[in-house]
Amino acid sequence: MSINLREGFSDESLERVLEDLLVRFVVNCPSEDLSSIERVFFQIEEAQWFYSDFLKIINPLLPSMKMKKFCSQLLDQCPLIWRWGDPNDALARFGKYKSIIPVRGCALLNSKLNKILLVKGVESSSWGFPRGKISKDETDVDCALRELLEETGYDATDYIDEDEYVERTIKGKNYKIYLITDVPEDTVFIPRVRNEIAEIQWKDVKYLQKASKNSNNFYLINTMIKPIL
């Protein structure tokens, strides 16, 4: 993809960026990925991540756009790909669909089993296990490993046991967290994703057992920690 970002910013330069994103992520993708609201929005979401994580860094004068605004701007550039009515209604439907996609992740524990590694997102005040939504045709283990690598930089391919996990279904969404032990505390963790993970820390298990009961800042921890220990 060739994107010519000029010095300064104009509506014309944004229009060119959006046109190139359409070509890269939407227009030329397989017809199967344009066959439903959900699949089209997954492509648009990929484009929005690329815009935020790379293009806006190249040219900070480009406007910040979350999914709703980005979707509106992108579809304005190519209305022929959209045939499902009001995009805002469809985006809400996509949000509901995403809310039930299974989530897979990993709980990293030290050798004494008294500390667990947690991450905190850039736009979140809560801590949780490295985790994320499973992708099309992806196995549970592959999803957990991918999310762990993306969010912490840690490759657990040689250490994960597909039979060692805690599974819960909460408000219609299934969570499966794989347990990985004996992780050295001096491991250097560096996220591979941009603008997603703000902090990575080892947390004391005894502290979490108390804090997670009385605080919303530890997502899933209270639900998952008893089976883990």
Side-chain angles (χ1 to χ4, degrees), residues 3 16 33-34 44 51 57 63 81 84 90 96 106 111 137 148 155 164 172 176 180-181 184 189 194 202 213-214:
I3 294 180
R16 177 58 191 277
D33 290 329
L34 298 176
I44 294 175
Y51 176 87
I57 292 175
I81 68 169
W84 293 282
K96 290 180 180 179
C106 294
S111 58
D137 299 326
L148 177 65
D155 186 354
E164 292 292 329
K176 184 181 286 187
I180 300 172
T181 60
F189 298 103
R194 297 170 181 255
W202 288 103
K213 293 179 181 179
N214 303 310

Side-chain angles (χ1 to χ4, degrees), residues 42 45-46 49 94-105 129-136 138-140 142-148 150-151 173-176 196 219:
F42 275 123
E45 189 174 58
E46 289 283 345
W49 288 340
F94 177 63
K96 290 180 180 179
Y97 171 76
K98 284 183 62 178
S99 71
I100 61 171
I101 296 175
V103 167
R104 305 296 179 246
F129 303 112
R131 69 192 188 280
K133 297 177 179 65
I134 195 166
S135 299
K136 178 185 175 186
E138 191 174 37
T139 68
D140 290 348
D142 286 345
C143 176
L145 289 171
R146 173 180 58 78
E147 290 291 342
L148 177 65
E150 288 177 356
E151 296 191 1
K173 178 178 288 192
N174 181 262
Y175 296 84
K176 184 181 286 187
E196 186 173 328
Y219 188 68

Side-chain angles (χ1 to χ4, degrees), residues 112-126:
K112 295 181 179 179
L113 304 182
N114 63 355
K115 292 184 180 180
I116 297 178
L117 192 80
L118 300 181
V119 300
K120 183 167 71 170
V122 170
E123 297 183 359
S124 174
S125 61
S126 66

